[in-house]
Amino acid sequence: MSLFNEKLKVIPLKEVLSIFILLFLVQYFLNTLNIVQLDSIWIYILLIFYIIFKLDFTFPDKDDYLEVLSADVLKQVVLLVILNVFISYGFLYLSHALLNLVPSLNFLFGSSTASNSIMTLSLVATIIVSPVAEELIFRGIFLNRLQVIIPPLFAVLVSSLLFASLHSYGSIISAFIFAICMAILYLKTENILIPIFAHFLNNLLAEIIVRADVNSLLFTNDVVIGAMSILAVISFVLLFKSIILELNSIK
């Protein structure tokens, strides 16, 4: 294990959690009082800088990066990401179906009329900033520190639930499943760059699909919806079996 990954494992949980909560409270009050509208990207950027400071400006070494690009890791990551994207759409279809049955749940979906510059910032946040910040926080720090006080299996589940809680309605369950996969990847490799890379690919693929679907076929065409739903079920079964096997091996 590299010095970077060793140092990451011992960053104090209470300290990070306190800063995490404080920044979100500041964001909430500033936005609520209309003093200034802050996006979560700024919180993540501040947290990344804080973590870099706590690591004494130690960065991943060459071997960490080479492991990410190894054939075995790339195969696992690409397969996981593809399965997760299908699962995500499956749960989105379920959430939309529930919305049709209970329209009052509509408030759980946010609307956006963002400008191009804000959209660009959002894209950078989704594809680059979020994967780095969320993996450092939830897998690199939360998961590692929770393992000190509770069994590893529960540490995986708790850290994954915390990660999922930051996601919107329709994405919570798929985010929880994805977080478990990222935790397993991290525990198996002890290299935080691997879940960061997987998270990056996942968000990149999701954004490409959204922007390529200019006619909203994924949510309006019955044939496409049917095909995606079947793929979502198959992906869920495959990934669920793999997760159970991996979790059973965690001690």
Side-chain angles (χ1 to χ4, degrees), residues 21 34 74 88 104 107 152 188 191 197 207 213 219 224:
I21 293 172
N34 289 320
L74 285 175
S88 297
S104 59
F107 74 94
K188 288 175 65 176
N191 181 355
F197 179 63
E207 288 295 330
D213 187 26
F219 290 95
V224 174

Side-chain angles (χ1 to χ4, degrees), residues 31-51:
N31 290 353
T32 302
L33 297 174
N34 289 320
I35 296 174
V36 63
Q37 293 299 308
L38 288 180
D39 192 271
S40 297
I41 184 176
W42 301 113
I43 294 176
Y44 280 159
I45 289 173
L46 288 173
L47 284 169
I48 289 172
F49 279 114
Y50 162 77
I51 292 171

